[in-house]
Amino acid sequence: MSNTIGGTEGAKWRKSSRSGGAQQCVEVATNLVDTALIRDSKLGDSSPVLGLEPTAFSAFVGAVRAGRFDG
């Protein structure tokens, strides 16, 4: 299940290696048990956060790598 979450305590954010340029950056946190988090790096702590279960996050990363979101 995917959802927007409120708490991100303990999340260790890093810029995604797939972020394009300064205007297309996302940060991910994959250090939490059973949840991967994604946020807009331009907004930092004020960004909405998307929480994904590990299988959904893996599917998302696979789709990005396959170019399914490219213009």
Side-chain angles (χ1 to χ4, degrees):
M1 171 180 229
S2 303
N3 59 13
T4 301
I5 62 163
T8 59
E9 288 183 34
K12 294 183 180 174
W13 296 100
R14 63 176 176 81
K15 187 181 281 192
S16 170
S17 61
R18 294 289 180 176
S19 289
Q23 299 301 314
Q24 300 175 6
C25 298
V26 296
E27 292 177 319
V28 296
T30 56
N31 65 299
L32 302 175
V33 177
D34 296 328
T35 304
L37 305 175
I38 305 169
R39 72 179 182 184
D40 185 335
S41 63
K42 292 184 302 297
L43 300 176
D45 290 338
S46 64
S47 176
V49 176
L50 178 67
L52 301 173
E53 293 177 349
T55 53
F57 183 70
S58 291
F60 172 73
V61 170
V64 169
R65 288 181 177 157
R68 293 189 190 143
F69 303 110
D70 294 346

